[in-house]
Amino acid sequence: CRKAKQDTTQPTQMSNVHTLADLDNVEAFPDAWSGPAQERGPKDEYSAGLAGVNAETGQAALQFIAVDGSVATVSADARRPAELAGIYALSLCCPCLVGGPCAPERRVEWLHLLRRTTTYLIVLQVIMFVVSLCLHGFDTVADNPEFGPPANSLITLGAKYAYVMKYKYEWYRFVTPLFLHAGIIHLLANTLAEFRLCMYLEARWGTAVYMLLYFAGGIGAVLMSCCISPNTVGVGASGAIMAIMGAYLVEILTVGAPDEPVRKFELTQVALFIAMTLLLGFAPFVDFSAHLGGVLVGALLGLGLFTRAKNSRLAPYPKVKWAVLAAGFGLAALFFVIQIPLFFTVVDPHELN
């Protein structure tokens, strides 16, 4: 729970601590959410908050309260705020962690999970992978070490193919690559990142903001790949995922968590994810330019979206805040203004044999 704070002078006191009696009211934890989720209110499936802390063991009980009044409890070490932060993400992404088998709160969690747009994106990506295998089966391991279909199957279904995008006006290929994957390894890596990280951020930011970042970043990734690597076939949601991570990094830097250890934990986690993914881009069969394009678009849009938050670090400086906001949106627009003419006037992709 991102709002949890440890008071080192009084171990039994924590910010956001409530008594078990408070659990009777689903609105008992109005400050337990952070960011856009704080505005969700009692109409959502559950609220969450710290129910109490054991001064001797340091264990904090985190309660999830459904609208029907059922309560799920998980615990963590209150002396480790990062662990508390992780519980919220894990409980969103894995309902199996909440409640006992067939418990009402677990069913609520599964329903909550099924409402996420990310869930349907993952399902669509899995379906498209199965369809790609149905066309021509698996390619040889020598040609596709990720255990997937041959390139012609992916091209048929809408992979990034700069030649037909430029000369045959198949512009839908700026979007369709996000739902295709080169192999089982590729699919598992991206869907796991979406399930474990992106789903949490969709809940945190709201679906509208999340989808804007996902598709704008994904299109930007495909566009940059067309400009830098025009003669390769490209597929995958990793450019869109990198956009989400780029925006997340900016949110941590501009808004951050109330607890400094939690903020450092999130910052380290996201920075390592981005760095490792960019480095992985230099490996064979991996598109570095798409990863770079995605993270650039996501970070720039994140500057515009998160700098305007009321709890932004720049909130006390309105002129600076609006300047940074304008710079973020302006540079994101400039990215497309430069890349689109570059692709359609300068880049000369070849037809693939």
Side-chain angles (χ1 to χ4, degrees):
C1 184
R2 283 165 46 83
K3 287 282 187 175
K5 286 187 179 180
Q6 178 188 1
D7 189 329
T8 55
T9 58
Q10 298 181 14
T12 59
Q13 300 294 321
M14 291 183 65
S15 171
N16 233 14
V17 173
H18 303 267
T19 66
L20 293 176
D22 292 330
L23 302 179
D24 293 332
N25 186 349
V26 75
E27 298 183 270
F29 307 110
D31 58 345
W33 294 97
S34 64
Q38 190 170 351
E39 303 170 3
R40 303 171 72 88
K43 66 180 180 179
D44 201 55
E45 282 83 355
Y46 56 75
S47 181
L50 282 172
V53 178
N54 186 317
E56 296 181 359
T57 64
Q59 288 294 306
L62 185 64
Q63 304 282 351
F64 288 81
I65 307 93
V67 170
D68 62 5
S70 60
V71 178
T73 305
V74 289
S75 63
D77 192 335
R79 295 162 296 190
R80 299 176 59 189
E83 188 174 341
L84 288 170
I87 282 180
Y88 176 59
L90 283 170
S91 62
L92 276 178
C93 296
C94 186
C96 299
L97 296 176
V98 178
C102 302
E105 60 268 23
R106 182 173 292 188
R107 289 196 294 271
V108 169
E109 288 290 304
W110 278 112
L111 290 174
H112 190 86
L113 179 71
L114 292 175
R115 287 182 56 188
R116 294 288 167 225
T117 305
T118 307
T119 303
Y120 298 104
L121 291 175
I122 293 172
V123 170
L124 182 57
Q125 288 161 2
V126 172
I127 291 173
M128 292 305 296
F129 182 72
V130 173
V131 172
S132 69
L133 291 177
C134 291
L135 292 181
H136 299 101
F138 283 92
D139 200 358
T140 62
V141 176
D143 291 330
N144 186 351
E146 297 191 75
F147 306 104
N152 57 342
S153 296
L154 298 172
I155 291 173
T156 300
L157 293 174
K160 183 217 90 178
Y161 182 8
Y163 177 82
V164 297
M165 294 167 72
K166 180 173 182 177
Y167 297 116
K168 297 186 179 181
Y169 312 110
E170 296 184 8
W171 298 338
Y172 63 86
R173 293 179 185 268
F174 283 111
V175 177
T176 50
L178 306 182
F179 306 106
L180 301 172
H181 288 84
I184 295 175
I185 297 174
H186 191 202
L187 178 69
L188 287 175
N190 281 348
T191 53
L192 180 62
E194 289 174 323
F195 192 72
R196 177 60 185 88
L197 295 171
C198 295
M199 194 172 292
Y200 161 57
L201 292 172
E202 183 189 351
R204 176 165 161 163
W205 298 338
T207 299
V209 170
Y210 173 81
M211 295 298 283
L212 170 65
L213 291 166
Y214 189 93
F215 282 102
I219 293 171
V222 174
L223 180 59
M224 192 164 192
S225 178
C226 286
C227 293
I228 297 178
S229 306
N231 297 316
T232 61
V233 175
V235 293
S238 53
I241 295 170
M242 286 294 283
I244 297 297
M245 291 298 104
Y248 189 16
L249 180 65
V250 169
E251 187 205 17
I252 295 169
L253 293 173
T254 57
V255 179
D259 302 281
E260 187 62 19
V262 174
R263 192 185 76 86
K264 290 181 178 179
F265 169 77
E266 290 183 332
L267 182 61
T268 302
Q269 184 184 43
V270 176
L272 284 175
F273 181 94
I274 292 173
M276 291 175 64
T277 306
L278 289 175
L279 288 174
L280 186 63
F282 294 102
F285 302 100
V286 182
D287 193 342
F288 171 80
S289 56
H291 292 170
L292 180 61
V295 76
L296 284 175
V297 173
L300 292 173
L301 287 176
L303 273 178
L305 290 168
F306 300 123
T307 302
R308 64 189 179 91
K310 293 181 180 179
N311 56 341
S312 167
R313 292 170 181 265
L314 296 178
Y317 315 100
K319 291 183 179 180
V320 177
K321 182 185 76 172
W322 288 109
V324 172
L325 184 150
F329 284 132
L331 289 173
L334 185 63
F335 174 92
F336 290 98
V337 168
I338 293 174
Q339 295 281 332
I340 292 174
L342 179 65
F343 173 61
F344 285 103
T345 59
V346 178
V347 177
D348 184 24
H350 304 302
E351 185 173 9
L352 302 178
N353 296 324

